Amino acid sequence: MFRNQYDTDVTTWSPAGRLFQVEYAMEAVKQGSAAIGLRSKTHVVLGCVNKANSELSSHQKKIFKVDDHIGVAIAGLTADGRVLSRYMRNECINYSFTYESPLPVGRLVVQLADKAQVCTQRSWKRPYGVGLLVAGLDESGAHLYYNCPSGNYFEYQAFAIGSRSQAAKTYLERRFENFTDSSRDDLVKDAITAIRETLQGETLKSSICTIAVVGVGEPFHVLDQGTVQQIIDTFEIAAEQEDPATEPDAATGQEAATEQGTAADQGGSTDEGAAPMDI
Amino acid sequence: MKPIGKHSLLGASGEISDFQEILRYLNELILYDNMWDDGNSLGPKEVHNYLTRVMYNRRNKFNPLWNSLVLGGVKNGNKYLGTVSMIGVTFEDNHVATRFGNHLARPILRQEWHENLSFEDGVKLLEKCMRVLLYRDRSAVNKLQIAKITEEGVTIHQPYSLKTYWEISTFENPAQGAIGSW
């Protein structure tokens, strides 16, 4: 994407029919630190990578509770994200007050998208520079939506946004078919693993990621660091157990017939599928 | 009585013109709800609370809608019955009534209502309550109308008359004790 003469104003079309300012706003989302979301039939999990300005500062808050049944993870300009979360919280509270009922997620997302669209059609405004992963539960089940700065929104089974999110997306693409029937704990494990994919080599610690869950009978809440660290530790334990386990399997495979060996390999790989390790 | 949306039924007593105004508000509400076109719909609980807000707001402005409302409905198997008065007093219960019904009909309902009433038994119970009420209301006529709401939808039956009995001995020759009076 290079500078051209049609990109100064959000209200200027390019000859190719593009609004460059809106596309630049989507670039801002790609620069933010990663956020991922995945859902099953009954639960939605959001995760994000904590980015701190410097060693001395605390990390930015990227996951916001909007209501007991809705939460949002943001990537991009966090200030814009904060403002939009406040808007979402307001909408939820007003609906709850008038109707004594939780606001359906689909409607909140449309209201948010319409708000973002307004900013793409006013010359004195600029698009919001933040992508939002909205996770929520309503009568029709668990939902995960992605709201773009362009005013578009999509529903997803699993998605990742922000820098190095492609690695997480690849991991999620491999496994998303299993998510619908996943248990809540498996879903959280998958979320943490997806985050690890975006870290690309950095050690996975609970201080570097934040996980939040919402589900049937479980209001939206952020998991505390202790719980997250415990789950991360189970990954490490599984890795240690696998190494001694695969050796005797490989040994028996070599001694026995080829068919037995392939069966043992397949047994080993399904174990790895449950808690995939760097091979 | 009027059906509201897919899931609710609204009955009112009091000023009919105010009731018609409320129906206009609700029409607009349901219209906007349908315009979302997203598979979500306002259930009886939501409509009831919306009405509570409207009635209470008008009461605060010293310009009440002079109605007592009863709202019932079924959504996703959940049954709901609630009432709002003209000053915004609101509650839900298994049986509700407006105005004098609270004093005359609800004690009967408290005695005789139970969880597993069939439709026919329910109608008989309501007829019993309505008979008590119409005997004591100098400006009532013996016609009533039953409406039913289930998961499948609303049916409002045609009005029909209740049989009444006025041949009580005290009503014969009422001027007996005081000639020339009523």
Side-chain angles (χ1 to χ4, degrees), chain A residues 189 192-193 196 204 231-239 275 277:
Chain A
K189 282 208 198 95
I192 298 183
T193 321
R196 199 188 46 188
L204 177 66
I231 303 179
I232 295 175
D233 291 337
T234 57
F235 288 175
E236 258 79 273
I237 296 171
M277 297 293 121

Side-chain angles (χ1 to χ4, degrees), chain B residues 9 16 24 28 57 96 102 109 126 128 131 164 167:
Chain B
L9 180 64
I16 298 296
R24 279 199 325 107
E28 209 182 306
N57 216 305
V96 294
N102 279 307
L109 290 166
L126 283 176
K128 183 173 180 179
R131 194 170 276 127
T164 52
E167 310 304 317

Side-chain angles (χ1 to χ4, degrees), chain A residues 93-111:
Chain A
I93 286 180
N94 286 341
Y95 189 91
S96 251
F97 175 69
T98 315
Y99 301 102
E100 275 249 357
S101 215
L103 175 58
V105 198
R107 295 196 180 180
L108 179 62
V109 165
V110 172
Q111 283 174 289

Side-chain angles (χ1 to χ4, degrees), chain A residues 91 111 119 129 136 139 196 200 211 253 264:
Chain A
E91 292 298 306
Q111 283 174 289
C119 295
E139 279 184 346
R196 199 188 46 188
Q200 299 204 340
I211 307 283

Side-chain angles (χ1 to χ4, degrees), chain A residues 17 89 98 113 156 163 177 182 207 209:
Chain A
R89 282 172 180 165
T98 315
Y156 284 99
S163 66
E177 265 142 10
S182 251
S207 57
C209 63

Side-chain angles (χ1 to χ4, degrees), chain A residues 48-52 58-60 199 202-210 224-226 228-229 232:
Chain A
C48 71
V49 172
N50 296 336
K51 187 164 75 164
S58 64
H59 63 84
Q60 283 192 317
L199 294 174
E202 263 178 81
T203 31
L204 177 66
K205 304 183 286 228
S206 65
S207 57
I208 211 169
C209 63
T210 310
D224 68 294
Q225 299 291 41
V228 177
Q229 189 59 49
I232 295 175

Side-chain angles (χ1 to χ4, degrees), chain A residues 25-60:
Chain A
M26 318 235 273
E27 280 298 309
V29 176
K30 295 184 200 160
Q31 302 299 329
S33 58
I36 60 118
L38 35 144
R39 66 161 171 153
S40 72
K41 239 190 318 228
T42 52
H43 286 79
V44 196
V45 178
L46 291 174
C48 71
V49 172
N50 296 336
K51 187 164 75 164
N53 263 339
S54 71
E55 294 253 323
L56 301 168
S57 74
S58 64
H59 63 84
Q60 283 192 317

Side-chain angles (χ1 to χ4, degrees), chain A:
Chain A
M1 208 170 286
F2 301 110
R3 277 227 72 189
N4 52 62
Q5 46 181 214
Y6 306 108
D7 69 353
T8 318
D9 243 326
V10 75
T11 50
T12 307
W13 287 98
S14 81
R18 295 160 70 172
L19 287 169
F20 280 106
Q21 278 296 306
V22 176
E23 296 184 19
Y24 295 167
M26 318 235 273
E27 280 298 309
V29 176
K30 295 184 200 160
Q31 302 299 329
S33 58
I36 60 118
L38 35 144
R39 66 161 171 153
S40 72
K41 239 190 318 228
T42 52
H43 286 79
V44 196
V45 178
L46 291 174
C48 71
V49 172
N50 296 336
K51 187 164 75 164
N53 263 339
S54 71
E55 294 253 323
L56 301 168
S57 74
S58 64
H59 63 84
Q60 283 192 317
K61 184 168 175 186
K62 283 160 54 84
I63 293 191
F64 297 92
K65 173 171 172 169
V66 167
D67 202 348
D68 282 334
H69 67 296
I70 302 184
V72 63
I74 63 170
L77 265 53
T78 358
D80 285 359
R82 224 176 39 239
V83 162
L84 286 177
S85 311
R86 191 184 317 136
Y87 169 74
M88 290 164 80
R89 282 172 180 165
N90 229 358
E91 292 298 306
C92 281
I93 286 180
N94 286 341
Y95 189 91
S96 251
F97 175 69
T98 315
Y99 301 102
E100 275 249 357
S101 215
L103 175 58
V105 198
R107 295 196 180 180
L108 179 62
V109 165
V110 172
Q111 283 174 289
L112 203 52
D114 287 344
K115 193 170 160 72
Q117 191 279 339
V118 167
C119 295
T120 66
Q121 214 174 6
R122 307 278 185 268
S123 60
W124 62 90
K125 288 191 179 223
R126 64 157 177 83
Y128 287 108
V130 62
L132 299 124
L133 280 172
V134 183
L137 205 67
D138 62 24
E139 279 184 346
S140 45
H143 298 278
L144 175 68
Y145 290 94
Y146 171 52
N147 276 69
C148 274
S150 60
N152 278 330
Y153 66 95
F154 308 94
E155 184 159 10
Y156 284 99
Q157 188 70 33
F159 200 49
I161 55 177
S163 66
R164 300 189 287 204
S165 58
Q166 189 51 50
K169 269 192 259 193
T170 321
Y171 169 75
L172 292 170
E173 271 167 29
R174 265 189 283 139
R175 312 210 4 128
F176 77 94
E177 265 142 10
N178 302 327
F179 288 162
T180 322
D181 299 309
S182 251
S183 73
R184 173 217 188 261
D185 294 328
D186 281 341
L187 216 60
V188 174
K189 282 208 198 95
D190 276 321
I192 298 183
T193 321
I195 291 188
R196 199 188 46 188
E197 301 291 315
T198 67
L199 294 174
Q200 299 204 340
E202 263 178 81
T203 31
L204 177 66
K205 304 183 286 228
S206 65
S207 57
I208 211 169
C209 63
T210 310
I211 307 283
V213 187
V214 63
V216 175
E218 192 177 351
F220 184 87
H221 64 107
V222 176
L223 299 181
D224 68 294
Q225 299 291 41
T227 325
V228 177
Q229 189 59 49
Q230 275 179 351
I231 303 179
I232 295 175
D233 291 337
T234 57
F235 288 175
E236 258 79 273
I237 296 171
E240 287 168 18
Q241 281 180 345
E242 283 220 353
D243 292 330
T246 44
E247 282 171 20
D249 276 348
T252 48
Q254 282 168 357
E255 289 169 7
T258 340
E259 291 145 39
Q260 272 191 351
T262 46
D265 283 348
Q266 282 175 357
S269 62
T270 44
D271 283 344
E272 288 174 5
M277 297 293 121
D278 299 318
I279 300 166

